[in-house]
Amino acid sequence: MATAAIRAEGLAKRFGKTRALDGVDLVVEPGTILGLLGPNGAGKTTIVRILTTLLRPDAGTARVDGFDVVRQGHEVRRRIGLAGQQAAVDEYLTGRANLVMMARLYHMPAASARARADALLEQLGLAAAGDRLVRTYSGGMRRRLDLAASLVAAPPIIFLDEPTTGLDPRSRLDLWAMIEGLARAGTTVLLTTQYLDEADRLAGRIAVIDHGRVVASGTPDDLKRGVGGERIDVRAPDADTLPAVRRAVAAALGTEPTLDPETGRLTAQVADGVAGLRAVVRELDRAGLAVNDLALRRPTLDEVFLALTEREVAS
Amino acid sequence: MGWLLADSWTVAKRHLLHIRSMPEKLSGVTIQPIVFVFMFAYIFGSAIAVPGGDYRQFLLPGVFVQSMATASASIMAGIVSDMASGVMDRFRSLPMARAAVLIGHTGANLVESGLGIVAMAVCGLIVGWRPELGLAPTLAAFGLLLLFGFAMSWVGVFAGLFLKSSEGAQGLGFVLIMPLTFVANTFVPTGGMPAILRAIANWNPTSAVVTACRQLFGGAVPAAPAWPQVHPVLASLLWCAALVAAFLPLSVWRFRRAMTAR
Ligand SMILES: Nc1ncnc2c1ncn2[C@@H]1O[C@H](COP(=O)(O)OP(=O)(O)O)[C@@H](O)[C@H]1O
Ligand SMILES: [Mg+2]
């Protein structure tokens, strides 16, 4: 069996009464991206902190590149890069000084440290801002600098804790492209996210975390199949036509839609989205019904969780 | 551990670069003591009698020492903000010598204290303070001040490692520094204090360093019967050694192990 880049077994951690992790198992193969997907408070950061040697698990073991995170912390730290949930860069240094400091702390000679800083500033599109204080950077620039800081030593394994939370859509896309570039170059990436679309786009495998446990894992397609494909949303123009619209959707799809009483929105699961949408349109036309909204979409994270946790309760 | 010195120097450089981007960082060891010098020299000074001596000569050592003590509050705030911003986590995820994060910081603090001493000395010369015993004792006094600043910075580091917010750091800094520097012979002779306060003041490390500086700079040194006041230089050295011997290892231990509990 080849060494997994990351292997965790039975990780548990409590903070006082809070059970932050309750037996987490993970395996990440070298050169792949694992997405840890979960809502706020699920335990994602705690997992990252344990794997990066910042936190000691109460129980369980974890190995990173074959080294035990508790007993061989120093060896682990030589092989990882971490970009934490906050951009941990020094506001009162320039972008370049931040990176040079990091490189020096990785014990690069001064000249190579400067060269590495320049190369990374270039690579992450910060060359023009390199000599400005980080205090003047935008949120997206800080995130990129933070990512650069985690890449200084070109580590084979990097941990990104919610790398795009709080970013505007443009910066988000930029960062996604950079993360994909890293993986293509052979870096193993463990990233956490609250967004299904992010995990979907970046990760080869996803582990869904809830209440400190892995409630599902697999490829993005596995998960989506598991939660019943796409969703069709329909909104009736008023309360009077709602029953008729509801009947039409049910007839078209052969399944009863759920109603969100606050917005008056009907939602139905469909295995094949486009075919389902056609059927609904046809049925509404035939019944002569007009609707305010008709949309096909991916399940939201809430729905994925709901589906997964319901299944868990059922089993 | 061969990297301890190199890593400490890298970290120290980080904090020294901060002086350029936020010069206000130095205000604790420059502006604040200078205000104290003028305030006490011209406002309160006329009302405070120093047996057999000149008040400004008496005052300056007190202000020097007080500003060394406040350096511990500024380093405490720095530690707290590094922990809150995730910078400490980043350092701790590196294959560097972990103690260097703290040693570099206190080292840079020492340089800041040195700059503060220069500023205060200039200000003191303006209001009429004079080191009277020649170069060697004067340099010895400055050395003692730096040592005291270094020792106090380790107290600040240790306290900072337990705090969660910078508001907490400010509050604790105040609570720590005020009694330490005021229940002492810093600004007034201890002779007139109530018995309990006088005993505390005479044994306060601050008082030992202040009296040592008064002796080394020359000028009136009000007599006080307590042992540290009779042997102030030795007492200062012992106090500083004890503070470093206690708080340096405690801080490193706390830093190594502890954020694991957070
Ligand atoms: N240092 C801590 N002290 C107390 N509780 C904590 C601490 N860190 C995390 N927790 C708790 O552990 C749980 C998991 O937190 P975390 O791993 O940060 O979740 P996530 O990153 O998925 O949002 C949460 O309930 C959180 O409140
Ligand atoms: Mg988190």
Side-chain angles (χ1 to χ4, degrees):
Chain A
M1 184 181 65
T3 317
I6 301 169
R7 179 183 295 277
E9 277 160 17
L11 290 183
K13 181 78 194 176
R14 329 176 51 121
F15 296 105
K17 282 205 174 70
T18 314
R19 216 184 269 271
L21 295 184
D22 190 11
V24 167
D25 301 330
L26 291 174
V27 180
V28 189
E29 297 303 334
T32 66
I33 303 185
L34 173 74
L36 289 184
L37 175 66
N40 228 335
K44 303 181 296 296
T45 297
T46 306
I47 295 174
V48 169
R49 288 173 58 84
I50 289 174
L51 295 176
T52 54
T53 78
L54 300 179
L55 196 65
R56 214 175 263 266
D58 297 338
T61 58
R63 291 183 168 268
V64 172
D65 210 17
F67 294 95
D68 186 286
V69 295
V70 174
R71 280 170 301 134
Q72 296 165 297
H74 195 75
E75 291 302 320
V76 172
R77 289 191 284 276
R78 288 166 49 134
R79 288 162 174 80
I80 60 170
L82 165 66
Q85 197 164 343
Q86 311 146 283
V89 282
D90 190 324
E91 303 261 302
Y92 288 92
L93 296 184
T94 63
R96 174 173 283 109
N98 265 287
L99 296 180
V100 170
M101 173 178 73
M102 290 292 292
R104 295 292 279 157
L105 292 174
Y106 277 108
H107 305 143
M108 288 184 200
S112 3
R114 279 193 301 272
R116 182 68 182 147
D118 287 341
L120 281 167
L121 288 170
E122 190 66 45
Q123 188 188 335
L124 295 187
L126 291 168
D131 291 319
R132 265 165 45 197
L133 291 184
V134 172
R135 199 156 53 111
T136 67
Y137 282 21
S138 69
M141 292 164 77
R142 274 170 216 231
R143 274 288 174 186
R144 273 181 281 155
L145 183 65
D146 194 51
L147 181 62
S150 71
L151 300 177
V152 160
I157 301 169
I158 71 166
F159 294 85
L160 307 174
D161 195 1
E162 299 199 21
T164 67
T165 298
L167 289 191
D168 59 84
R170 179 67 224 260
S171 314
R172 204 158 169 242
L173 289 175
D174 285 350
L175 214 63
W176 282 359
M178 287 164 200
I179 296 168
E180 280 169 337
L182 285 174
R184 261 199 310 278
T187 306
T188 305
V189 180
L190 183 147
L191 74 87
T192 79
T193 180
Q194 303 193 30
Y195 308 115
L196 183 62
D197 60 337
E198 181 162 293
D200 193 7
R201 154 98 186 250
L202 294 175
R205 293 186 71 81
I206 296 177
V208 181
I209 313 289
D210 193 28
H211 291 109
R213 305 211 288 138
V214 179
V215 294
S217 66
T219 65
D221 283 340
D222 291 343
L223 288 181
K224 275 180 283 179
R225 262 198 302 280
V227 297
E230 285 157 300
R231 299 291 189 278
I232 290 177
D233 288 343
V234 184
R235 234 174 44 198
D238 48 53
D240 294 341
T241 48
L242 181 64
V245 172
R246 186 175 198 151
R247 274 194 303 277
V249 173
L253 300 175
T255 158
E256 193 61 30
T258 57
L259 172 69
D260 179 352
E262 254 168 53
T263 60
R265 195 185 62 189
L266 295 163
T267 299
Q269 283 188 23
V270 281
D272 182 343
V274 177
L277 197 57
R278 276 214 201 92
V280 171
V281 170
R282 250 193 331 262
E283 193 61 36
L284 288 171
D285 269 352
R286 222 169 46 78
L289 289 165
V291 292
N292 273 2
D293 252 333
L294 177 58
L296 178 64
R297 61 172 173 83
R298 292 273 185 70
T300 63
L301 185 55
D302 281 345
E303 289 163 335
V304 172
F305 279 113
L306 213 59
L308 289 168
T309 42
E310 270 169 3
R311 198 165 58 196
E312 186 159 282
V313 171
S315 66
Chain B
M1 280 295 102
W3 288 108
L4 184 61
L5 278 183
D7 290 348
S8 299
W9 171 234
T10 304
V11 173
K13 259 195 299 198
R14 166 191 177 218
H15 295 286
L16 294 176
L17 283 174
H18 285 170
I19 298 176
R20 200 163 51 180
S21 51
M22 54 174 161
E24 66 272 20
K25 191 176 152 181
L26 287 182
S27 66
V29 289
T30 54
I31 297 172
Q32 197 179 307
I34 288 170
V35 168
F36 267 78
V37 168
F38 283 104
M39 207 166 67
F40 277 88
Y42 294 107
I43 301 173
F44 304 137
S46 53
I48 301 173
V50 181
D54 166 49
Y55 185 64
R56 292 179 192 166
Q57 202 66 13
F58 175 86
L59 169 68
L60 253 285
V63 177
F64 273 122
V65 175
Q66 191 197 37
S67 101
M68 293 302 104
T70 54
S72 67
S74 99
I75 199 168
M76 176 160 64
I79 296 275
V80 172
S81 109
D82 276 352
M83 288 202 295
S85 68
V87 168
M88 284 300 195
D89 274 356
R90 159 134 298 143
F91 281 141
R92 292 175 69 253
S93 76
L94 299 180
M96 63 182 290
R98 284 188 171 180
V101 175
L102 307 181
I103 294 173
H105 202 159
T106 53
N109 204 253
L110 198 57
V111 175
E112 290 166 22
S113 297
L115 293 175
I117 288 179
V118 172
M120 276 181 288
V122 169
C123 170
L125 291 171
I126 293 171
V127 302
W129 162 79
R130 296 287 178 271
E132 290 169 346
L133 304 182
L135 191 61
T138 305
L139 290 182
F142 288 155
L144 203 55
L145 285 168
L146 288 175
L147 179 64
F148 181 63
F150 183 69
M152 286 303 294
S153 71
W154 281 104
V155 180
V157 168
F158 184 67
L161 287 171
F162 285 87
L163 299 177
K164 296 231 154 58
S165 73
S166 31
E167 291 77 25
Q170 274 178 10
L172 184 64
F174 190 78
V175 170
L176 209 71
I177 304 300
M178 279 298 166
L180 190 74
T181 58
F182 277 95
V183 186
N185 60 0
T186 324
F187 300 107
V188 293
T190 56
M193 296 180 180
I196 296 177
L197 284 185
R198 193 191 321 139
I200 296 175
N202 281 340
W203 282 85
N204 186 334
T206 309
S207 301
V209 184
V210 171
T211 300
C213 287
R214 283 186 184 133
Q215 277 188 1
L216 292 165
F217 287 140
V221 181
W227 184 86
Q229 292 299 310
V230 180
H231 308 278
V233 175
L234 180 60
S236 303
L237 291 173
L238 288 176
W239 264 122
C240 293
L243 289 174
V244 174
F247 286 97
L248 189 157
L250 276 175
S251 302
V252 171
W253 162 80
R254 170 82 191 165
F255 184 60
R256 281 233 174 91
R257 187 200 69 90
M259 290 189 340
T260 59
R262 281 165 37 92

